[in-house]
Amino acid sequence: MAEVILVIIGVLVFGILSRITFKFWQYGRPQHLRQPIPANSADDSAVTLFIPGYAGNRFSFGGMLQRFTAGGIANKSLVVMIDRHNHPHVTGELDAYRPMVQLIFATPRVAVRQQAAGVLAVVQYLIAHEHVQTINLVAHSMGGVVLFQYLTTAAKLVNLPEVRKVVTIGAPFNDSEVGQNTYPIENHPLTATGPTKTTPVYNYFLRTLQRLPNTISYLNIAGNIGDAVQSDGAVALNSALSLRFLLRPTRDQYQEFVVHGKNARHSRLHENYEVDRQIVQFLYPDTTKKVAGEK
């Protein structure tokens, strides 16, 4: 009997490891729609970059990009590995229709400025090799802070692609530590004019985001699992939604969405179908197809 149990356990473990190995391979490669589709609008032709959070990897956005491709919504055109010297190593070919680009950092536990420099290197590659003119940016967790660090840097440079749309998911805009999770969760209540207490990252963006063009549209997604702090288990709702005060001059282009329930947990936000729907409707407002796997 003991031998049978060991065999069953071995089979289960082998099955689990095989599935993880397959997903690891699948999530790190480009995936294209079955039939090429021409780009008929600015929404269709913009290249969308997906930026993971602190310690992120191919699993961070791999599932979401697979769902978007399997659902016929967009192409996962490129996978870009950014090495420790911020050199992009690119796999795939850029599609004309709704191309998505997955960014993966070879050293994912580095400072915000270094990762933002890596994003800039990828954008410069897309200009030089793909002649990209317009981009969207989607980021999770610390990736949202990296995203805005890139935007403040890009605002001082010339000949970079126009940024059309920005999506942030569970980003800590008013935390003292924007990378590793800290407990208790940092939570500074919001008033009509802003947070009751501000952190260095918030104050930095309060000074620098004023230089951003007023043509960018923003979607800010936050999670609330219903805990005492009102957070996604890592980032307080008040921290994520403090972005509204940083973007006050462009409030007409800013919208936010709060996901509730157990699937609003920080590490699950990019696996949440409601988050999928919000992103798809924001990036591609004329889309009628469902995200793959959605019931």
Side-chain angles (χ1 to χ4, degrees):
M1 185 66 180
E3 292 181 355
V4 174
I5 294 175
L6 288 175
V7 169
I8 293 173
I9 293 174
V11 171
L12 290 174
V13 170
F14 177 79
I16 293 171
L17 291 177
S18 296
R19 180 174 175 80
I20 293 174
T21 300
F22 175 73
K23 289 294 184 183
F24 182 82
W25 170 79
Q26 186 181 48
Y27 287 174
R29 70 184 186 93
Q31 296 170 294
H32 305 275
L33 300 180
R34 293 180 180 179
Q35 298 293 331
I37 301 175
N40 296 317
S41 68
D43 288 330
D44 289 346
S45 59
V47 179
T48 303
L49 278 62
F50 288 77
I51 306 168
Y54 181 82
N57 51 46
R58 64 182 66 193
F59 286 97
S60 299
F61 277 116
M64 179 183 287
L65 297 183
Q66 182 189 38
R67 294 190 296 274
F68 288 176
T69 305
I73 293 166
N75 286 284
K76 182 183 176 182
S77 297
L78 303 178
V79 176
V80 183
M81 177 65 72
I82 305 168
D83 67 24
R84 62 190 182 92
H85 302 294
N86 281 336
H87 298 150
H89 301 267
V90 181
T91 303
E93 297 180 358
L94 202 66
D95 297 274
Y97 178 79
R98 298 181 180 179
M100 301 182 297
V101 179
Q102 180 183 20
L103 273 57
I104 304 171
F105 293 92
T107 51
R109 295 177 175 85
V110 296
V112 167
R113 288 182 183 275
Q114 183 173 342
Q115 287 201 357
V119 175
L120 177 60
V122 173
V123 172
Q124 291 172 329
Y125 171 92
L126 293 173
I127 296 170
H129 297 272
E130 302 291 350
H131 311 293
V132 170
Q133 297 181 340
T134 58
I135 63 173
N136 303 318
L137 298 167
V138 179
H140 173 249
S141 192
M142 190 186 88
V145 180
V146 172
L147 184 159
F148 277 99
Q149 178 64 56
Y150 164 79
L151 289 179
T152 59
T153 301
K156 297 181 290 184
L157 304 176
V158 296
N159 299 325
L160 291 180
E162 173 194 2
V163 177
R164 299 188 71 250
K165 298 181 180 182
V166 162
V167 180
T168 47
I169 309 167
F173 294 110
N174 195 28
D175 277 26
S176 300
E177 168 56 63
V178 299
Q180 302 181 67
N181 293 342
T182 57
Y183 297 97
I185 295 171
E186 192 165 3
N187 181 32
H188 306 300
L190 301 179
T191 69
T193 57
T196 54
K197 178 183 177 181
T198 59
T199 62
V201 66
Y202 182 93
N203 294 331
Y204 171 76
F205 284 137
L206 191 62
R207 297 191 306 271
T208 59
L209 293 192
Q210 310 305 315
R211 65 176 68 137
L212 299 185
N214 59 9
T215 54
I216 303 175
S217 297
Y218 302 91
L219 171 61
N220 185 25
I221 299 174
N224 185 0
I225 60 175
D227 58 346
V229 182
Q230 299 294 291
S231 75
D232 62 14
V235 176
L237 203 59
N238 285 328
S239 179
L241 298 185
S242 65
L243 180 63
R244 69 170 72 132
F245 300 99
L246 297 173
L247 296 175
R248 196 190 301 271
T250 57
R251 61 183 179 272
D252 291 340
Q253 286 85 26
Y254 172 83
Q255 58 184 289
E256 57 191 31
F257 183 82
V258 179
V259 186
H260 297 271
K262 62 181 181 179
N263 289 326
R265 190 164 293 278
H266 189 72
S267 61
R268 297 293 300 169
L269 283 171
H270 43 57
E271 307 305 326
N272 187 301
Y273 287 127
E274 187 58 42
V275 172
D276 284 2
R277 282 195 294 271
Q278 293 297 321
I279 293 174
V280 169
Q281 291 170 7
F282 179 69
L283 295 179
Y284 314 116
D286 62 341
T287 297
T288 56
K289 297 180 180 179
K290 281 189 174 183
V291 176
E294 182 184 357
K295 295 180 181 180

